[in-house]
Amino acid sequence: MLVGNWHPDYIGPGVLPTSQIFLNTVSRFAANNLYYCKRIGDYQCTNTYMVDRRRPEKRRDIYHVFFILSGQLQVEYRGHAFVASQGSVVVLDCRQPHRYYCTSRVNFIWLDMDGGATAAYVKLLTGRGVPLFHLSDFNRIVNRILIVGRETEAQNADEHMNSSFWHELFAMLACV
């Protein structure tokens, strides 16, 4: 179930009502010192889902990480067009022009990341060419993300432990 007052960029055509978004209220300490995830989404989408941030006014001051659970997500980013399928991880700097969309049903987890060395890691990961990754520990990572989402929703998330997990995620992606 989708909650909160959402910008149309979050809930647009093609996002099914079974989708979820978990909000995180970030402490001042975390915002200044830790890795953090502002929002976690678990989206089920139809072939009408599309996010187009190629125009400057549509871009956002955040970093996205996607985990494709089923189906395929078409992505256009920095001159690359590629397909992210089940088991794939995609990293995007949302300050850069990009577009992603579905041509059939897809289920994916998305993260709005920031803080710590997030900007440096995203620059490293997207600077290598196509920002598409495959982790051997994909299912464990996805399960942990869903736990963080539920803890966030219940307001009992530990931002210090979660920061450690987000750092581990970036380190794993950098080593792929």
Side-chain angles (χ1 to χ4, degrees):
M1 175 168 118
L2 296 168
V3 296
N5 296 318
W6 294 101
H7 188 279
D9 280 352
Y10 284 105
I11 303 174
V15 178
L16 295 171
T18 53
S19 299
Q20 300 180 75
I21 299 174
F22 304 102
L23 290 175
N24 185 21
T25 302
V26 181
S27 73
R28 175 175 275 158
F29 180 83
N32 291 328
N33 300 288
L34 302 177
Y35 293 90
Y36 59 88
C37 185
K38 294 174 88 171
R39 287 167 285 276
I40 298 172
D42 180 357
Y43 270 17
Q44 295 84 45
C45 300
T46 67
N47 64 336
T48 60
Y49 177 74
M50 180 179 66
V51 172
D52 189 345
R53 294 194 182 110
R54 292 177 290 182
R55 296 189 349 232
E57 67 273 10
K58 294 288 188 176
R59 295 182 203 146
R60 298 184 49 235
D61 191 24
I62 199 73
Y63 305 96
H64 270 336
V65 181
F66 296 93
F67 294 81
I68 312 304
L69 305 178
S70 66
Q72 296 181 329
L73 190 66
Q74 313 290 320
V75 182
E76 297 171 10
Y77 181 75
R78 288 187 164 174
H80 300 283
F82 58 95
V83 177
S85 56
Q86 183 174 353
S88 299
V89 180
V90 177
V91 178
L92 301 178
D93 178 347
C94 293
R95 294 166 183 88
Q96 301 296 319
H98 63 281
R99 179 170 85 128
Y100 49 91
Y101 58 95
C102 310
T103 56
S104 61
R105 286 187 71 129
V106 67
N107 178 209
F108 60 90
I109 304 286
W110 57 266
L111 311 173
D112 272 354
M113 300 294 305
D114 211 346
T118 299
Y121 265 121
V122 171
K123 184 176 180 180
L124 172 75
L125 296 169
T126 61
R128 297 176 177 172
V130 175
L132 179 67
F133 305 90
H134 297 87
L135 296 172
S136 59
D137 240 357
F138 182 85
N139 290 331
R140 182 187 71 82
I141 298 296
V142 166
N143 288 334
R144 178 68 177 120
I145 291 168
L146 293 172
I147 289 169
V148 170
R150 286 190 291 276
E151 290 172 350
T152 298
E153 183 178 46
Q155 298 182 349
N156 65 353
D158 184 319
E159 61 191 8
H160 303 282
M161 295 305 293
N162 288 343
S163 176
S164 175
F165 170 67
W166 301 130
H167 186 192
E168 178 187 359
L169 171 62
F170 283 125
M172 283 189 288
L173 291 170
C175 292
V176 174

